[in-house]
Amino acid sequence: MSTNDCLPDAEPALRVVAMPKDANPFGDIFGGWIMAHMDSAGGTAAIRRAQGRVATVAVESFTFRQPVHVGDVVSFYAFEERIGNTSLTFRVQAWREGRDGRGAIMVTDGLFTFVAIDEDRRKRPVPPAA
């Protein structure tokens, strides 16, 4: 895993610029905005690993470490933690950088669990790793 000042050596699952509409009057980005993007990033990784549809079933150990400000580039990374018969758990990290690409710092991390589902929204087995 990464230290708090060195971006992970991986491709982000999602990258977004924090905009004024996502902030409070003091320029800090709302926690819910960050949580929603983390769920999306984890879900993207889970969909790829499950080779199909997934649903979020739990969010654990969510920690806000540093604020995100308007104009920051926020990268969301998802790392596989556990794969069960039907469930997938990913550690998701949010990292912010200034627009110039400097000052990388992990701002939020959490553990997201998804369940693989079929077209009828019923649990299905997670395929073996490719």
Side-chain angles (χ1 to χ4, degrees):
M1 212 54 89
S2 312
T3 64
N4 281 351
D5 62 355
C6 183
L7 284 169
D9 187 21
E11 285 293 315
L14 181 65
R15 182 171 282 145
V16 182
V17 175
M19 301 298 285
K21 67 178 179 57
D22 306 314
N24 65 28
F26 302 102
D28 297 322
I29 300 304
F30 292 118
W33 180 89
I34 296 168
M35 291 176 77
H37 283 85
M38 290 178 72
D39 187 32
S40 181
T44 298
I47 287 167
R48 288 182 182 147
R49 177 59 181 82
Q51 299 174 19
R53 195 172 184 167
V54 300
T56 307
V57 294
V59 179
E60 306 170 51
S61 66
F62 205 89
T63 306
F64 291 99
R65 300 176 184 282
Q66 297 285 330
V68 174
H69 307 289
V70 170
D72 286 343
V73 177
V74 187
S75 299
F76 300 89
Y77 297 86
F79 303 97
E80 189 176 297
E81 288 274 320
R82 290 187 305 271
I83 304 298
N85 183 42
T86 61
S87 66
L88 310 95
T89 301
F90 285 81
R91 167 119 359 241
V92 181
Q93 298 177 344
W95 288 73
R96 72 166 163 86
E97 300 174 82
R99 288 187 191 177
D100 60 4
R102 294 187 293 184
I105 187 166
M106 184 176 27
V107 294
T108 311
D109 69 321
L111 204 56
F112 289 72
T113 300
F114 304 88
V115 65
I117 57 175
D118 63 19
E119 293 304 316
D120 295 320
R121 295 183 176 92
R122 292 190 185 102
K123 289 182 183 180
R124 65 174 175 84
V126 175

